[in-house]
Amino acid sequence: MTMSNNFMKHAIKQAMLSAGDIPVGCVIVKAGKIIASAHNLREKNNDISAHAEIIALKKASKKYANWRLSDCAIYVTLEPCPMCAWAILNSRIKEIYFGSYDLNYGAFGSKINLVEISNAKPKIYGGILEDECNNILKKYFMDLRE
């Protein structure tokens, strides 16, 4: 298993903790080690900004007392929305890995590409363990409809 798959598996475990919310998980990696992890908490915290990526970025920034995370990579189970994508770009993260493509709100190429209007030029890799990430979302929305 590649390193990116290994870290995405950790993000998937985080997504499974998103009880009552859209299951999205995120990990931030520095020097081959996970330094922050999170899952969606919008419903639990009654906070529109409590997306997995925002929470993980805050944790990583707090841990290193620096909002610049230029020596880090981020792994998220769903392509980030515009809010999260802009925060990721502004944090200067160098590599972005995501699982499921988000055709409705994806801001790294699926719906829009915020990299085009940013000075940051990270490497972006989509479709990492895509089937596993898609299945988590499909199950959540099927259960929601029942």
Side-chain angles (χ1 to χ4, degrees):
M1 176 167 24
T2 67
M3 276 302 241
S4 61
N5 284 1
N6 191 29
F7 292 127
M8 187 60 75
K9 288 227 180 250
H10 285 282
I12 289 169
K13 287 178 187 173
Q14 282 295 312
M16 302 305 285
L17 300 174
S18 299
D21 210 326
I22 296 173
V24 176
C26 176
V27 297
I28 297 178
V29 175
K30 180 177 180 172
K33 293 184 180 179
I34 294 172
I35 61 164
S37 59
H39 55 277
N40 274 359
L41 290 171
R42 293 176 315 158
E43 297 298 333
K44 183 178 179 188
N45 293 358
N46 198 27
D47 179 356
I48 189 63
S49 69
H51 288 210
E53 301 96 320
I54 300 294
I55 296 166
L57 287 167
K58 286 180 178 182
K59 286 180 177 181
S61 294
K62 185 175 183 178
K63 183 172 187 168
Y64 290 100
N66 194 341
W67 60 267
R68 292 173 190 87
L69 300 171
S70 56
D71 52 356
C72 295
I74 192 167
Y75 294 79
V76 62
T77 57
L78 178 63
E79 181 181 1
C81 71
M83 174 182 70
C84 294
W86 199 248
I88 291 166
L89 290 170
N90 277 284
S91 75
R92 301 182 180 152
I93 281 183
K94 65 179 178 177
E95 294 176 334
I96 300 158
Y97 299 84
F98 64 86
S100 297
Y101 290 87
D102 187 341
L103 302 179
N104 294 316
Y105 302 105
F108 284 127
S110 292
K111 186 68 173 184
I112 61 172
N113 189 352
L114 290 180
V115 174
E116 293 173 355
I117 61 168
S118 169
N119 289 330
K121 301 298 178 206
K123 293 181 180 174
I124 301 171
Y125 307 94
I128 310 298
L129 298 181
E130 184 176 7
D131 289 340
E132 288 180 53
C133 294
N134 286 344
N135 288 337
I136 294 167
L137 291 166
K138 285 177 189 171
K139 181 180 179 345
Y140 170 79
F141 286 109
M142 260 193 332
D143 291 350
L144 197 63
R145 284 189 282 268
E146 288 179 0

